[in-house]
């Protein structure tokens, strides 16, 4: 059974390994992961998906005022397509809804059709595109999920 929980100091190495395995050249350094998990980055929250005592995924959010942003969500190769990403995202939404944020934003590579479909199923809508956002020139699609409060960053 997979449990989503706040990351702790004992999770730094596992999260750093997942970063490297899932995100390759875009992975954050172990030092940055450590700072985020240990709370030295005040707007950042790390959640982990723990299956039988093993960290198999993680999600990172940054919250400032009325906006929460999903910075990262990663699941180890052997645990994909088993509901781990959905559980992590549900944890992110729950945590963000407990803050002042009225919307959750994220960016996805426009060529990542699987991720775009996943987020659409979760209720996210496309609100913008950031041309040449990624190092290889790929466009980012900006997605939004209202968090049920007044506002929610509705598109005009």
């Amino acid at each position: 059974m997979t449990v989503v929980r706040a990351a702790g100091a004992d999770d730094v190495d596992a999260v750093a390994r997942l970063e490297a395995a899932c995100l390759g050249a875009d992975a954050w350094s172990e030092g940055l992961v450590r700072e985020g998990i240990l709370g030295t980055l005040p707007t950042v929250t790390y959640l982990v998906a723990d299956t039988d005592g093993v960290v198999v995924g993680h999600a990172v959010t940054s919250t400032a005022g009325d906006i929460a942003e999903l910075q990262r969500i990663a699941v180890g190769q052997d645990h994909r397509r088993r509901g781990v990403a959905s559980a992590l995202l549900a944890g992110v939404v729950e945590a963000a809804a407990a803050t002042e944020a009225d919307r959750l934003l994220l960016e996805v590579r426009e060529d990542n059709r699987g991720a775009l479909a996943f987020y659409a199923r979760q209720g996210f809508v496309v609100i913008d595109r950031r041309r040449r956002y990624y190092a290889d020139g790929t466009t980012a699609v900006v997605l939004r999920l209202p968090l049920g409060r007044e506002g929610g960053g509705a598109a005009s």
Side-chain angles (χ1 to χ4, degrees), residues 14-144:
V15 171
R17 281 193 302 274
L18 275 171
E19 274 283 316
C22 296
L23 300 165
D26 292 326
W28 289 344
S29 70
E30 182 178 335
L32 186 58
V33 169
R34 182 177 308 283
E35 286 181 25
I37 289 176
L38 297 181
T40 59
L41 305 172
T43 64
V44 174
T45 302
Y46 273 76
L47 297 177
V48 294
D50 182 315
T51 301
D52 301 322
V54 177
V55 173
V56 299
H58 70 284
V60 185
T61 56
S62 177
T63 305
D66 61 352
I67 298 174
E69 185 172 356
L70 179 60
Q71 300 284 319
R72 291 273 202 259
I73 192 165
V75 176
Q77 184 70 36
D78 294 342
H79 296 275
R80 293 182 185 161
R81 308 205 73 50
R82 296 182 184 179
V84 175
S86 295
L88 279 166
L89 185 58
V92 165
V93 170
E94 181 180 343
T99 70
E100 295 177 23
D102 61 12
R103 62 198 173 271
L104 178 62
L105 303 177
L106 61 92
E107 292 100 14
V108 175
R109 293 175 62 95
E110 77 175 350
D111 59 359
N112 189 341
R113 293 198 171 121
L116 288 167
F118 169 74
Y119 290 118
R121 286 191 305 273
Q122 304 299 320
F124 283 81
V125 295
V126 175
I127 61 166
D128 205 354
R129 286 184 168 10
R130 294 182 179 163
R131 307 277 177 223
R132 296 177 300 283
Y133 182 79
Y134 294 99
D136 66 359
T138 301
T139 294
V141 178
V142 183
L143 304 172
R144 181 192 75 233

